[in-house]
C-alpha cells in the first residue's frame, strides 16, 4: 500500500522543510543571526550579495567581513535585539569587502526572532536596489537638465531687463505653470519707439514646449520688426498674424494685447489693440476706479483677415496700466463641494481698486501673490503681468 505524502515525518520536520524551501528560493537576501550578531544561516542571494561563500560567512559578524557597511548594519541589528521591535525599509549604501570598488544600494528590514517571548536572534531581509537607485538618480539628473534648459529657453523669450523711461514706472512678473519644467506660452515685451514712446506687448501662444517656444519667438520678433516701421498697435498685430499664418504650425494661434504709450508732458497717451487677449485694465490713482482699455479683436494665427479695433485713453500721474494673461483670471481651485472656482476678472478688479497709488512693481507683485495664494501656491497655467504707472516726471 503506497505511503501518503509526509508519512513518517513529524509536523516540525515538514515545517522545517517548507521554511528551507522559502529561504533558499527567495528572490531577495535572507539571513539569520544569533544574539552575538554572528551569521547562522544565509540564502544564496545573500551569499552573492556578500561576495563570500556561505561557509565563510557562518559564525562571523558583518563587521568582521565588511568593516564599513558591516559595522553600519550591526548598529541596526543591535537596536532590534535591544528593543525587540522590527525596523523596515532601511536604505543602506556601501561596498562589501570582496568588491570594494562596487558601491551598492540596499533596502533592508530587520526582524527579531523570539523563543518563549525572548529575543534570541534576528532575521534580515535585504533587496539590492542599486539598479533602481541609479535609474532614479539618472532620471533626477535628466529632469534637472530639462528644467535648466526650459528656464534658459524661457528667459530667452522674455526681455532681460525693463527700461525705466522718464515719466513712467514699469514692472513685470512671469511664472510658469504646472509642476513639470517646460517652456510656457506666455510672454511680454517692451519696445522703445523713441525717447517718449513705447510699445507694451503681452501674449499667450497656444500650447507649451518647443513648438510654443518657436511660435513665441516668431511672434515676438515679428512684433519687434513691425515696430521699426509703424507704432500703430493694429498694424503691428496684423504683421504678427501674417507671420503666424506663414509658420503653418498646427494649433498655432496666439492672443496678444498691444499698447502704444506716448508721453505728452505729465500725461501718457495710450492706444491699444487686443487680438483675442484679455483687455488691459487701467487703475485710476485718484479714485481707485478700474477701467477696461480697448475692445476685443480676433486672435492671431486663425484667419488672414482679422478685426483689430484700436481705442485710447490717457494716464495722469498715479494712474496704472495693467496687462495680464489669462493665467490670472482663469486661475482656478476646487472647492470643498467639488466645484471649480475661477479667480476671475471681478476679483482682479477688486484687487487693483484696493491699492490706488501703488507702484508698478507693487501692483504686479500683488497680482502674482494673490493668484498663487488662490491656488495654494501651485499654478495650473503660466502667469504674466506687465504694468506701467504714470509718474509725471520729466
Amino acid at each position: 500500500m503506497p505511503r501518503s505524502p509526509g508519512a513518517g515525518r513529524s509536523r516540525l520536520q515538514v515545517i522545517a522543510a517548507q521554511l528551507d524551501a522559502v529561504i533558499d528560493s527567495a528572490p531577495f537576501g535572507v539571513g539569520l543571526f544569533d544574539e552575538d550578531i554572528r551569521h547562522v544561516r544565509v540564502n544564496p542571494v545573500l551569499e552573492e550579495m556578500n561576495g563570500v561563500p556561505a561557509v565563510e560567512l557562518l559564525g562571523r559578524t558583518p563587521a568582521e567581513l565588511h568593516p564599513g557597511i558591516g559595522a553600519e548594519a550591526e548598529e541596526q541589528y543591535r537596536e532590534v535585539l535591544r528593543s525587540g521591535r522590527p525596523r523596515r525599509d532601511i536604505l543602506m549604501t556601501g561596498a562589501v569587502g570582496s568588491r570594494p570598488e562596487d558601491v551598492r544600494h540596499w533596502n533592508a528590514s530587520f526582524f527579531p526572532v523570539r523563543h518563549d517571548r525572548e529575543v534570541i536572534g534576528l532575521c534580515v531581509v535585504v533587496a539590492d536596489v542599486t539598479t533602481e537607485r541609479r535609474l532614479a538618480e539618472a532620471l533626477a539628473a535628466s529632469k534637472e537638465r530639462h528644467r535648466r534648459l526650459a528656464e534658459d529657453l524661457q528667459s530667452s523669450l522674455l526681455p532681460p531687463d525693463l527700461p525705466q523711461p522718464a515719466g513712467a514706472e514699469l514692472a513685470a512678473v512671469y511664472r510658469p505653470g504646472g509642476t513639470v519644467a517646460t517652456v510656457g506660452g506666455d510672454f511680454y515685451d517692451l519696445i522703445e519707439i523713441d525717447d517718449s514712446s513705447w510699445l507694451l506687448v503681452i501674449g499667450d501662444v497656444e500650447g507649451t514646449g518647443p513648438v510654443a517656444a518657436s511660435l513665441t519667438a516668431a511672434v515676438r520678433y515679428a512684433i519687434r520688426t513691425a515696430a521699426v516701421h509703424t507704432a500703430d498697435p493694429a498694424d503691428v498685430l496684423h504683421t504678427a498674424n501674417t507671420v503666424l499664418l506663414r509658420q503653418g504650425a498646427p494649433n498655432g494661434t496666439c492672443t496678444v494685447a498691444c499698447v502704444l504709450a506716448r508721453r505728452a508732458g505729465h500725461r501718457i497717451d495710450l492706444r491699444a489693440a487686443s487680438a483675442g487677449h484679455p483687455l488691459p485694465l487701467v487703475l485710476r490713482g485718484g479714485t481707485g476706479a478700474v477701467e477696461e482699455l480697448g475692445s476685443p479683436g480676433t486672435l492671431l494665427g486663425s484667419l488672414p483677415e482679422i478685426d483689430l479695433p484700436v481705442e485710447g485713453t490717457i494716464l495722469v500721474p498715479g494712474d496704472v496700466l495693467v496687462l495680464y494673461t489669462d493665467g490670472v483670471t482663469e486661475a482656478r481651485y476646487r472647492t470643498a463641494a467639488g466645484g471649480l472656482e475661477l479667480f476671475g476678472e471681478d476679483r482682479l478688479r477688486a484687487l487693483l481698486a484696493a491699492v490706488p497709488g501703488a507702484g508698478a512693481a507693487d501692483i504686479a507683485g500683488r497680482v502674482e501673490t494673490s493668484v498663487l495664494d488662490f491656488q495654494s501656491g501651485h499654478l495650473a497655467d503660466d502667469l504674466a503681468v506687465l504694468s506701467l504707472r504714470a509718474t509725471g516726471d520729466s
Side-chain angles (χ1 to χ4, degrees):
M1 185 174 183
R3 297 174 61 187
S4 61
R9 301 185 184 93
S10 69
R11 183 170 179 272
L12 185 59
Q13 288 176 316
V14 172
I15 293 174
Q18 292 171 336
L19 183 60
D20 286 342
V22 170
I23 292 176
D24 290 340
S25 62
F28 40 78
V30 179
L32 298 175
F33 296 79
D34 62 20
E35 292 177 283
D36 296 319
I37 317 181
R38 292 188 296 261
H39 289 78
V40 174
R41 179 171 181 176
V42 297
N43 74 342
V45 175
L46 190 61
E47 180 182 12
E48 169 59 25
M49 287 182 184
N50 278 273
V52 178
V55 294
E56 296 182 23
L57 293 172
L58 301 181
R60 303 172 70 185
T61 68
E64 291 173 354
L65 295 159
H66 317 296
I69 189 64
E72 182 182 339
E74 284 190 14
E75 294 179 9
Q76 304 290 340
Y77 296 2
R78 291 192 180 93
E79 175 60 24
V80 173
L81 290 172
R82 183 193 66 78
S83 67
R85 293 191 299 270
R87 305 203 70 188
R88 295 181 173 86
D89 297 322
I90 305 299
L91 294 178
M92 306 185 72
T93 298
V96 297
S98 61
R99 296 188 291 264
E101 304 301 322
D102 184 17
V103 176
R104 312 294 294 179
H105 304 282
W106 300 279
N107 183 305
S109 295
F110 313 93
F111 304 92
V113 176
R114 288 184 169 85
H115 178 70
D116 289 338
R117 299 184 179 181
E118 180 183 355
V119 176
I120 61 171
L122 73 155
C123 173
V124 179
V125 178
V126 186
D128 190 319
V129 294
T130 303
T131 300
E132 293 86 342
R133 181 72 175 269
R134 289 173 180 171
L135 286 174
E137 290 173 350
L139 179 60
S142 176
K143 286 182 177 179
E144 176 62 17
R145 289 193 298 270
H146 179 72
R147 183 189 66 79
R148 291 180 179 177
L149 177 61
E151 286 182 351
D152 291 344
L153 184 54
Q154 188 73 67
S155 64
S156 72
L157 300 174
L158 299 172
D161 295 296
L162 287 177
Q164 296 298 324
E169 186 181 286
L170 287 160
V173 296
Y174 170 82
R175 272 188 176 266
T179 56
V180 179
T182 187
V183 182
D186 287 10
F187 67 95
Y188 64 86
D189 204 355
L190 178 79
I191 304 164
E192 294 187 85
I193 305 299
D194 54 43
D195 291 342
S196 60
S197 302
W198 326 283
L199 205 61
L200 289 83
V201 180
I202 196 164
D204 185 0
V205 169
E206 186 175 0
T208 59
V211 174
S214 67
L215 289 174
T216 300
V219 172
R220 183 167 177 247
Y221 292 118
I223 289 173
R224 283 187 160 265
T225 301
V228 173
H229 304 285
T230 177
D232 181 78
D235 291 343
V236 168
L237 294 182
H238 275 290
T239 299
N241 185 61
T242 301
V243 169
L244 275 178
L245 291 173
R246 287 178 179 173
Q247 288 279 106
N251 303 318
T253 57
C254 177
T255 69
V256 181
C258 183
V259 181
L260 173 64
R262 179 170 284 125
R263 189 177 70 249
H266 292 298
R267 73 184 194 186
I268 297 176
D269 295 334
L270 303 179
R271 298 184 72 241
S274 178
H277 199 82
L279 297 178
L281 298 176
V282 174
L283 169 63
R284 299 300 180 185
T287 64
V290 178
E291 307 166 0
E292 280 187 343
L293 174 58
S295 298
T298 314
L299 83 166
L300 306 183
S302 58
L303 299 168
E305 298 296 330
I306 57 176
D307 180 35
L308 297 170
V310 177
E311 296 184 15
T313 191
I314 295 171
L315 298 184
V316 299
D319 291 347
V320 183
L321 170 70
V322 180
L323 297 89
Y324 61 94
T325 58
D326 61 9
V328 174
T329 50
E330 294 184 7
R332 63 194 68 190
Y333 85 97
R334 192 167 296 279
T335 65
L340 287 176
E341 181 175 343
L342 296 180
F343 188 85
E345 188 175 321
D346 289 343
R347 189 177 268 106
L348 175 59
R349 283 172 171 266
L351 169 65
L352 297 178
V355 288
D362 187 20
I363 286 178
R366 284 174 182 265
V367 173
E368 176 190 26
T369 300
S370 295
V371 174
L372 280 170
D373 290 346
F374 183 78
Q375 293 192 300
S376 301
H378 303 288
L379 293 180
D381 192 11
D382 304 336
L383 174 153
V385 181
L386 178 60
S387 59
L388 177 147
R389 178 176 180 266
T391 64
D393 301 330
S394 59

